[in-house]
Amino acid sequence: MKNVLIIGSTGQIGTELTLELRKRYNGNIVAGYIPGAEPAGELLETGPAEIVDITNGEQIADVVSKYKIETIYNLAALLSAVAEIKPQLAWKVGMDGLFNVLEVARQYKCAVFTPSSIGVFGNNTPKDKTPQDTIRNPRTMYGVTKVGGELLSDYYYIRFGVDTRSVRFPGLISYTAPPGGGTTDYAVDIYYSAIRNERFVCPIAAGTFMDMMYMPDALKAAIQLMEADPARLVHRNAFNVTAMSFDPEIIYKNIRKYIPGFTMEYNVDQLRQSIADSWPNSLDDTCAREEWDWQPAYDLDMMTQDMLSKLKARIQVTLP
Ligand code: VAH
């Protein structure tokens, strides 16, 4: 029996993580959501759901107490591009909200997973095979909240013994809930254009390499880390994890292997491009592999095949 609360359960990661946890555990896997982002369908029908606004510490505590929560997956965040447009809200959710979660976790002895991101790195960090322990000097509010989140989560572990763990997610690609306002969203949108036989207008310039990961691997990373033997962990917040690194040209050519008529043009979004330019080209995830046996299953070609087949089923179009 394992009781888990997912805050932000209707977002890109939360939607799939909640369903995956319900498959694995037979306890209360509570879908936390905010009004206006209600759970629906399988997410609503397969387990409990509660309003949990991360900026309301009492609300978090009430749900943790009601369901005797042991682990909190805190997925509430504004993604990188949106956070530059609403920096104060990004801080309120990413930092004030995290403080609420950690305080509740301290009082109720919960473990806490809060995703970090490759967004913690900035222009003065080594770009290729970025090390686990290196300079975290971002110039985005998203990056500031992620570095702050790593530092605050480590503090709560060292000072209060709260079992905090996290990974630095790369761009995540999935076919269920769409991402919302990220710099890597192009790597999801391109598949939708391809499956609809539409010319894709890419907002990121050719030659811009970023780490990426298919959602099944992201779910595996989060759950595997939270189930890992704490005695093996040298690091906690947060582990570099990656599965692949590509630029728009590489993913475009891979999709054309399966949809030969697919076409793309560039219309660079300056905000997203400047953020992408500040991030690594590739990560070194040796520590995750050594400390908790991290190993991705999907490479680009496997992801493309699965994305196209799943989207075809969802959008009911016939591939040419
Ligand atoms: C974003 N998808 O683009 C998120 C992620 C590494 C990228 O943090 O903001």
Side-chain angles (χ1 to χ4, degrees):
M1 178 83 159
K2 190 168 178 65
N3 298 319
V4 179
L5 168 61
I6 300 94
I7 299 175
S9 67
T10 59
Q12 184 193 13
I13 303 172
T15 304
E16 298 197 53
L17 180 64
T18 306
L19 295 176
E20 180 62 26
L21 290 167
R22 285 176 177 169
K23 284 185 200 137
R24 292 183 183 219
Y25 303 142
N26 60 7
N28 288 310
I29 310 302
V30 182
Y33 68 94
I34 55 173
E38 284 79 4
E42 192 183 356
L43 191 59
L44 184 61
E45 289 148 18
T46 56
E50 296 279 358
I51 293 178
V52 177
D53 179 339
I54 196 169
T55 63
N56 181 335
E58 266 183 52
Q59 209 168 60
I60 303 171
D62 289 346
V63 172
V64 165
S65 171
K66 177 179 175 183
Y67 292 94
K68 296 182 178 46
I69 298 296
E70 299 153 85
T71 300
I72 300 171
Y73 283 85
N74 166 28
L75 306 177
L78 273 65
L79 294 183
S80 54
V82 170
E84 284 310 294
I85 297 160
K86 302 176 182 174
Q88 291 79 8
L89 181 59
W91 178 274
K92 194 170 172 207
V93 172
M95 290 307 300
D96 295 343
L98 174 60
F99 205 96
N100 290 336
V101 170
L102 292 171
E103 266 302 291
V104 170
R106 180 174 66 85
Q107 291 161 33
Y108 290 87
K109 304 201 179 335
C110 306
V112 180
F113 175 88
T114 301
S116 183
S117 162
I118 61 174
V120 297
F121 300 118
N123 278 314
N124 55 358
T125 302
K127 291 277 184 200
D128 298 309
K129 286 292 173 207
T130 301
Q132 173 65 45
D133 299 309
T134 187
I135 301 164
R136 292 173 290 181
N137 200 0
R139 288 288 179 262
T140 63
M141 176 50 89
Y142 181 69
V144 166
T145 64
K146 290 304 182 185
V147 172
E150 291 189 5
L151 296 173
L152 193 58
S153 296
D154 271 345
Y155 175 81
Y156 265 75
Y157 170 66
I158 295 159
R159 178 74 173 72
F160 302 115
V162 177
D163 184 3
T164 58
R165 310 181 192 188
S166 58
V167 297
R168 291 166 185 155
F169 277 135
L172 299 184
I173 290 114
S174 61
Y175 57 85
T176 52
T183 299
T184 60
D185 294 0
Y186 91 90
V188 178
D189 299 339
I190 192 169
Y191 286 110
Y192 281 85
S193 293
I195 204 76
R196 291 179 175 136
N197 299 317
E198 295 165 354
R199 183 174 175 79
F200 181 59
V201 180
C202 187
I204 297 293
T208 308
F209 281 80
M210 289 186 275
D211 287 275
M212 302 281 182
M213 186 183 293
Y214 197 28
M215 187 59 78
D217 275 333
L219 304 183
K220 181 171 80 171
I223 297 169
Q224 195 171 317
L225 173 57
M226 293 311 282
E227 292 179 346
D229 175 2
R232 291 181 60 194
L233 302 181
V234 173
H235 299 82
R236 281 180 168 265
N237 303 284
F239 284 90
N240 285 359
V241 289
T242 188
M244 58 192 96
S245 170
F246 55 73
D247 81 324
E249 285 296 309
I250 290 172
I251 186 173
Y252 168 60
K253 290 189 175 85
N254 186 250
I255 292 171
R256 275 171 63 90
K257 277 174 55 181
Y258 304 97
I259 307 180
F262 178 45
T263 59
M264 176 172 83
E265 65 187 60
Y266 290 96
N267 180 14
V268 174
D269 171 332
Q270 290 314 318
L271 171 61
R272 281 177 169 77
Q273 187 61 42
S274 65
I275 295 172
D277 287 342
S278 71
W279 289 352
N281 298 324
S282 61
L283 289 189
D284 175 353
D285 61 2
T286 305
C287 291
R289 293 168 188 263
E290 287 177 350
E291 297 177 36
W292 47 277
D293 308 318
W294 161 244
Q295 176 68 43
Y298 286 85
D299 62 15
L300 173 59
D301 198 54
M302 293 164 72
M303 177 171 74
T304 294
Q305 291 183 63
D306 199 57
M307 276 293 282
L308 294 179
S309 69
K310 295 290 195 327
L311 283 176
K312 178 182 159 193
R314 276 192 69 208
I315 304 176
Q316 275 109 40
V317 295
T318 49
L319 286 178

